[in-house]
Amino acid sequence: MIFNFDKKEYDSEKLSDEGKIVLQKLQNIVVQKQQLSIQFTDLEILQKHYSDLLKKELPKENKKVVNKGA
């Protein structure tokens, strides 16, 4: 398999067994980071949604009317 590293192409078949393991670990890290990024975005959306719902449920504040004529 051809992969890119430091802006160069390499053939993974030419790596040592240890190199292949390291490459696989790096590829797994990239996938996990992408998944976490998606989860973070989803959580941000959910947080805003539930914050908006909570705002609707909070008791209404009494507005103070200032009498300017007195």
Side-chain angles (χ1 to χ4, degrees), residues 42-54:
D42 289 348
L43 289 171
E44 289 285 307
I45 292 167
L46 284 169
Q47 183 178 21
K48 182 181 182 329
H49 172 72
Y50 284 112
S51 292
D52 291 344
L53 288 176
L54 180 59

Side-chain angles (χ1 to χ4, degrees), residues 12-26:
S12 63
E13 297 304 316
K14 295 181 179 179
L15 293 173
S16 66
D17 288 343
E18 180 68 20
K20 290 176 184 175
I21 292 170
V22 171
L23 174 61
Q24 185 62 49
K25 289 189 178 289
L26 283 170

